[in-house]
Amino acid sequence: MQGKFFQKPSPSQSKSVPPGQHLAKGFPVLTYGATPQVSKDEWEFRVWGLVKPMTFSWSDFMALPQHEFTADFHCVTRWSKLDVKWTGVKITDFMKLVEVDQKAVHVMQHCYGGYTTNISMADFILEENFFAIKLFGEDLPVEHGGPMRVIIPHLYAWKSAKWINGLEFLESEELGFWERNGYHKRGEPWREERYSGFSLAS
C-alpha cells in the first residue's frame, strides 16, 4: 500500500487513522459501474416509504443553510484521507422538512445509476452528517458524486452514497448493493466492520 499513492500515518496522525488503513496522497476514485451524468436542472430528490412523499429540486436544497465541514474519509479498501474540506447541507436541517412515521428505523439511500446503501436512522440523523455539494471549495466533481452526495464520516465511505437522489424510510432493515454482496451491514471503521460476519469485536 505504501509508495507513490499511499503512506503510513505519522505519529501525530495515527490517532485519526483506523486500524488497517493507510493515508492516500491524493483522493482516489472508486466506482462500480458507469458514472451518472446529471445536471443540476435535471436533478431531483425524492423521499418515500414511511414518510410523507415529497420531491425536492436543486433550488430547494440550495435554499437550506449551507455549512463548511472538515471530516476524515475512510474507504473500506484500506485507504483514508484526513481533513477533507466540504460544503454542504446538514442532514438534520433537511430532515426538518419531512414528516417521518415513528415506525421508520432504517433508511435506504437511492442514487442515480441504481446504487443503494442502507443505514439506520440512528446513524443517519446526526449533526456531523451532510449532503455535500462542494469539495475543497469547488463544485463537487461528478467522479466524486456530483452534483450531490451524502457524507457519513463515522462509517466507511460506501455508506456516503454518491449521486444521491432519494431516501426510502423503512420499518425494518433492508440491505443495499454492497451489503447484499458481502459487505458489513453497518461499516464502522474503528471496529473494522468491512465484511459481513466479521469485525474486531466479533
Side-chain angles (χ1 to χ4, degrees):
M1 290 288 288
Q2 300 176 56
K4 183 177 179 182
F5 301 107
F6 303 97
Q7 63 189 27
K8 281 187 174 182
S10 68
S12 64
Q13 296 169 320
S14 60
K15 290 184 179 180
S16 299
V17 181
Q21 299 289 107
H22 286 69
L23 293 181
K25 294 181 179 179
F27 200 160
V29 175
L30 283 78
T31 299
Y32 181 87
T35 297
Q37 304 284 334
V38 183
S39 71
K40 294 175 182 177
D41 290 337
E42 299 171 318
W43 184 91
E44 67 175 21
F45 187 97
R46 296 191 304 123
V47 296
W48 71 97
L50 292 176
V51 65
K52 180 182 178 181
M54 298 180 72
T55 301
F56 300 86
S57 66
W58 184 262
S59 59
D60 292 330
F61 261 85
M62 295 305 98
L64 291 169
Q66 296 180 22
H67 302 271
E68 304 296 320
F69 302 87
T70 300
D72 299 337
F73 192 90
H74 306 297
C75 182
V76 70
T77 59
R78 299 185 179 275
W79 60 267
S80 294
K81 187 169 180 64
L82 304 182
D83 299 326
V84 182
K85 298 187 183 303
W86 310 87
T87 305
V89 172
K90 289 183 179 182
I91 285 175
T92 51
D93 285 340
F94 172 77
M95 291 300 296
K96 295 173 184 176
L97 304 180
V98 300
E99 300 176 24
V100 180
D101 191 306
Q102 291 184 354
K103 295 178 181 177
V105 293
H106 282 269
V107 182
M108 186 70 77
Q109 301 177 59
H110 291 261
C111 307
Y112 287 103
Y115 178 75
T116 58
T117 188
N118 60 283
I119 187 170
S120 71
M121 291 278 280
D123 277 322
F124 186 67
I125 305 176
L126 296 174
E127 280 289 317
E128 60 264 33
N129 298 341
F130 56 97
F131 298 97
I133 57 173
K134 291 187 178 182
L135 175 62
F136 293 111
E138 303 292 336
D139 284 352
L140 185 62
V142 65
E143 64 268 22
H144 282 293
M148 184 185 292
R149 73 176 297 167
V150 170
I151 297 294
I152 310 291
H154 69 287
L155 299 180
Y156 281 123
W158 89 82
K159 296 291 187 178
S160 297
K162 294 190 286 189
W163 312 298
I164 189 77
N165 74 343
L167 301 174
E168 179 184 7
F169 292 85
L170 303 166
E171 188 172 2
S172 60
E173 184 178 48
E174 297 181 12
L175 301 182
F177 175 81
W178 284 117
E179 295 82 10
R180 293 193 305 271
N181 285 279
Y183 278 36
H184 198 278
K185 293 179 181 179
R186 183 164 183 256
E188 205 280 305
W190 293 96
R191 294 164 62 93
E192 291 201 77
E193 293 177 341
R194 301 177 190 275
Y195 306 109
S196 181
F198 173 76
S199 75
L200 286 184
S202 62

